Amino acid sequence: MNETIRTLKSRVSVKKYTDKQVPDDLLDAVLEAGLYAPSGMNNQKIYSVAVRDKATRDLLAQLNTRIRGADTDMFYGAPCVIVVLADPERNTWVEDGSLVMGNLLNAAHSLGLSACWIHRARETFDLPEGKELLRKWGLPERLRGVGNCVLGYTDTPPIPKERASGRILKIDQA
Ligand SMILES: Cc1cc2nc3c(=O)[nH]c(=O)nc-3n(C[C@H](O)[C@H](O)[C@H](O)COP(=O)(O)O)c2cc1C
């Protein structure tokens, strides 16, 4: 097994984070890995917004919690979140954004960071509060959220989950 396959097979969604912030060099490496995801017709219309500012991180977590109808921190205490946004004028926007999310999650793991995809980015950036953030960040208001990749460190790493069997088929010549 090579290093890439080992990384893919050992990645886990981490749902408990310490306060330790993600340093610049690791965050930049994760963000850059996102740029290398493929996109339909090479449109590259996917944006990754890394948020470490506590007030903005807390606002995003609060909106997420409100949309979910819950009362806990949906970001599990992670101090950093990368919001992935895509241009819905491209008919592959969901697929393009999801591939970026996959790159972010796997790159984070390869660098010793913990990460998890947190849902409801679409609903968040469809809200007036989300549109206001897009304006503040200088991004087009038509962008739609694909996913939130929370990032940080954990002191209780989970064990990778068993994979369900019977989901691979190989159709070879009879
Ligand atoms: C599209 C998508 C949305 C997800 N949303 C959430 C979420 O909102 N909250 C959460 O705790 N985990 C979320 N997850 C993480 C899944 O719970 C996790 O991937 C799944 O349990 C498998 O575990 P693993 O990532 O450790 O293999 C999401 C994953 C995907 C792919």
Side-chain angles (χ1 to χ4, degrees):
M1 206 185 338
N2 69 27
E3 203 52 46
T4 303
I5 303 287
R6 234 188 311 278
T7 298
L8 294 173
K9 290 182 74 172
S10 58
R11 181 209 55 80
V12 276
S13 292
V14 171
K15 308 203 177 187
K16 190 164 183 269
Y17 293 82
T18 65
D19 292 339
K20 186 177 168 191
Q21 188 52 275
V22 179
D24 269 328
D25 55 340
L26 297 187
L27 182 57
D28 289 346
V30 171
L31 289 165
E32 196 179 6
L35 296 179
Y36 286 84
S39 59
M41 296 182 76
N42 192 30
N43 76 78
Q44 300 191 34
K45 291 281 186 198
I46 309 102
Y47 300 81
S48 297
V49 181
V51 176
R52 287 183 294 189
D53 166 57
K54 188 172 171 357
T56 312
R57 176 261 178 235
D58 287 350
L59 171 63
L60 288 168
Q62 280 156 18
L63 293 173
N64 204 295
T65 298
R66 193 172 91 199
I67 293 161
R68 175 74 172 79
D71 59 3
T72 53
D73 175 16
M74 303 310 287
F75 289 177
Y76 302 114
C80 176
V81 56
I82 302 174
V83 178
V84 172
L85 300 142
D87 187 339
E89 286 180 2
R90 300 288 167 167
N91 66 353
T92 54
W93 69 277
V94 176
E95 293 86 349
D96 297 339
S98 298
L99 282 168
V100 171
M101 284 292 292
N103 274 20
L104 300 181
L105 294 167
N106 285 308
H109 174 55
S110 77
L111 294 164
L113 293 168
S114 295
C116 185
W117 181 322
I118 305 295
H119 203 42
R120 295 167 290 281
R122 191 175 310 174
E123 294 88 334
T124 302
F125 288 90
D126 285 351
L127 287 173
E129 292 93 328
K131 300 260 172 247
E132 197 180 316
L133 283 172
L134 292 177
R135 273 196 301 277
K136 196 169 156 187
W137 297 338
L139 292 172
E141 278 183 51
R142 67 171 183 280
L143 295 188
R144 300 199 76 193
V146 176
N148 303 287
C149 175
V150 294
L151 276 183
Y153 294 88
T154 192
D155 46 21
T156 47
I159 297 162
K161 299 180 184 85
E162 287 285 317
R163 263 36 200 179
S165 60
R167 298 185 294 142
I168 295 176
L169 286 81
K170 287 168 76 180
I171 315 300
D172 291 325
Q173 220 171 355

